[in-house]
Amino acid sequence: MSRRVVRQSKFRHVFGQAAKADQAYEDIRVSKVTWDSSFCAVNPKFLAIIVEAGGGGAFIVLPLAKTGRVDKNYPLVTGHTAPVLDIDWCPHNDNVIASASEDTTIMVWQIPDYTPMRNITEPILTLEGHSKRVGILSWHPTARNVLLSAGGDNVIIIWNVGTGEVLLSLDDIHPDVIHSVCWNSNGRLLATTCKDKTLRIIDPRKGQVVAVSV
């Protein structure tokens, strides 16, 4: 007869407590797209969540203070012709958010401080350069108007959002699907993980891999 040993942990007797209904966001139809994404993004002003939408992709933007039950007719941000896969707030402007979609485009949106009366359908900029769906977005942490996107075409593109131009395209580094991308704190280096089980550190200024870990 074997004895059952309980693993010791300092968190063993720590229990979470659900927030009250008036402190949560309820009745939001979160997207059911099978994509490895958090489906939400937050900044000091707003909470954005990718939601189910007929005939294309959409996400909802709520002021942080607007907790409780969300009206089913609350205005959405729509414009993509296929499901939205990722969203990311600009770190330099709390009213600007970028969205990536299965329709291969990236759209940049200006979110007003007031609650709009109808859906927001016109982005301030549409970026086209990927040949397959775009599933990863990341703003540069220090440089203004610099946005990174990664798609199912295994390509990373760094954009100048101010002009809509491509600053850099890394299309021969990853042999398979890119799973995640992250800037370092000053934006001089990129870390990427790929389906080939390899972690790469990339210098975007040189456009080359400076370190690899398998």
Side-chain angles (χ1 to χ4, degrees):
M1 182 176 177
S2 62
R3 294 182 58 190
R4 185 179 177 185
V5 179
V6 178
R7 188 177 67 173
Q8 295 299 315
S9 170
K10 62 182 179 180
F11 301 108
R12 182 179 170 192
H13 300 292
V14 176
F15 300 94
Q17 184 175 358
K20 296 180 180 178
D22 60 352
Q23 297 174 332
Y25 303 89
E26 294 187 314
D27 284 357
I28 297 176
R29 299 172 298 162
V30 180
S31 174
K32 297 175 183 172
V33 174
T34 55
W35 184 256
D36 188 13
S37 170
S38 61
F39 294 104
C40 66
V42 67
N43 70 8
K45 283 185 177 181
F46 302 105
L47 168 68
I49 302 173
I50 301 173
V51 296
E52 287 288 310
F59 59 97
I60 189 171
V61 177
L62 300 168
L64 289 184
K66 189 175 178 59
T67 54
R69 193 177 301 276
V70 178
D71 190 329
K72 65 179 181 179
N73 295 319
Y74 193 90
L76 304 176
V77 181
T78 62
H80 287 287
T81 57
V84 175
L85 300 180
D86 196 19
I87 48 179
D88 195 30
W89 289 103
C90 176
H92 308 292
N93 187 333
D94 288 339
N95 293 81
V96 173
I97 188 171
S99 60
S101 169
E102 280 191 2
D103 64 11
T104 75
T105 67
I106 301 110
M107 293 184 177
V108 181
W109 308 84
Q110 180 81 32
I111 306 299
D113 287 322
Y114 58 88
T115 301
M117 299 299 294
R118 57 182 63 88
N119 290 349
I120 299 174
T121 59
E122 294 295 330
I124 56 176
L125 183 67
T126 300
L127 303 172
E128 298 179 351
H130 288 279
S131 60
K132 294 185 179 180
R133 64 183 181 179
V134 186
I136 298 172
L137 289 176
S138 183
W139 290 91
H140 194 285
T142 58
R144 289 180 177 271
N145 294 330
V146 177
L147 176 67
L148 177 150
S149 64
D153 50 7
N154 310 338
V155 175
I156 291 176
I157 299 178
I158 299 177
W159 306 86
N160 181 340
V161 175
T163 63
E165 297 176 337
V166 175
L167 296 175
L168 179 66
S169 180
L170 304 172
D171 53 8
D172 56 356
I173 290 178
H174 299 88
D176 214 326
V177 177
I178 301 167
H179 285 163
S180 64
V181 180
C182 183
W183 296 96
N184 70 340
S185 60
N186 57 22
R188 291 184 178 179
L189 296 173
L190 289 170
T192 69
T193 58
C194 180
K195 192 176 180 180
D196 65 357
K197 301 180 181 179
T198 303
L199 168 67
R200 294 173 174 85
I201 306 299
I202 301 170
D203 185 336
R205 289 175 175 81
K206 296 179 180 179
Q208 64 186 29
V209 177
V210 296
V212 176
S213 174
V214 179

